[in-house]
């Protein structure tokens, strides 16, 4: 299977969850210093901060990072906080659907790192 399979290209060109969220409950910002990819995940939680009502992303990055961020946003919609905390790097790779090359692994895992930073802001 090609690293740039059709879904990756489609989500890079037409991401479904891209956009800054002005009323975010919490956000997680990350930077890949190796390539310059920048990513912010924005989360809107319910009043009790227990369920994700909306999640979007912003930033500048490669096709793999953008597609992975879009996939993650879609996956996290409606999840409860405990599910977010239980989501692991391996889960991110499964969600992405194929193993990236070692040099591109950081690109695919950047959204996961942004999730971890956002969760730290919930405390």
């Amino acid at each position: 299977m090609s690293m740039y399979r059709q879904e990756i290209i489609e989500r890079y060109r037409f991401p479904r969850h891209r956009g800054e969220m002005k009323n975010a409950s919490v956000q997680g910002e990350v930077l890949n210093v190796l390539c310059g990819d920048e990513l912010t995940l924005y989360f809107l939680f319910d009043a009790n901060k227990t369920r994700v009502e909306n999640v979007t992303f912003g930033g500048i990055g490669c096709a793999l990072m953008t597609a992975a961020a879009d996939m993650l946003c879609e996956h996290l919609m409606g999840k409860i906080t405990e599910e977010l905390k239980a989501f692991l790097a391996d889960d991110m790779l499964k969600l992405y659907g194929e193993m990236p090359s070692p040099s591109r692994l950081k690109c695919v895992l950047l959204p996961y790192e942004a999730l971890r930073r956002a969760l730290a802001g919930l405390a």
Side-chain angles (χ1 to χ4, degrees), residues 47-92:
N48 297 322
K49 291 192 176 183
T50 57
R51 183 172 302 277
V52 176
E53 291 186 347
N54 195 12
V55 57
T56 62
F57 74 96
I60 301 169
C62 67
L64 276 67
M65 187 278 296
T66 301
D70 200 52
M71 291 173 179
L72 182 62
C73 288
E74 192 165 294
H75 178 76
L76 297 179
M77 200 75 68
K79 299 278 193 254
I80 59 172
T81 308
E82 288 76 23
E83 290 174 297
L84 301 182
K85 291 177 181 176
F87 190 82
L88 303 173
D90 283 346
D91 297 320
M92 185 69 221

Side-chain angles (χ1 to χ4, degrees), residues 5-113:
R5 68 183 196 269
Q6 188 60 39
E7 184 178 7
I8 302 301
I9 295 168
E10 187 71 20
R11 285 185 181 264
Y12 172 68
R13 292 180 63 213
F14 306 105
R16 302 169 191 150
H17 302 281
R18 180 184 287 275
E20 185 178 348
M21 187 185 305
K22 299 284 188 192
N23 61 336
S25 305
V26 67
Q27 63 189 46
E29 298 178 28
V30 289
L31 169 68
N32 184 346
V33 295
L34 298 175
C35 68
D37 286 357
E38 299 176 16
L39 175 67
T40 303
L41 283 182
Y42 302 95
F43 288 86
L44 179 63
F45 284 89
D46 64 5
N48 297 322
K49 291 192 176 183
T50 57
R51 183 172 302 277
V52 176
E53 291 186 347
N54 195 12
V55 57
T56 62
F57 74 96
I60 301 169
C62 67
L64 276 67
M65 187 278 296
T66 301
D70 200 52
M71 291 173 179
L72 182 62
C73 288
E74 192 165 294
H75 178 76
L76 297 179
M77 200 75 68
K79 299 278 193 254
I80 59 172
T81 308
E82 288 76 23
E83 290 174 297
L84 301 182
K85 291 177 181 176
F87 190 82
L88 303 173
D90 283 346
D91 297 320
M92 185 69 221
L93 294 173
K94 288 176 193 168
L95 182 65
Y96 185 72
E98 64 184 60
M99 182 59 77
S101 67
S103 65
R104 304 302 299 271
L105 184 61
K106 180 85 171 166
C107 302
V108 173
L109 291 178
L110 204 62
Y112 169 75
E113 291 179 29

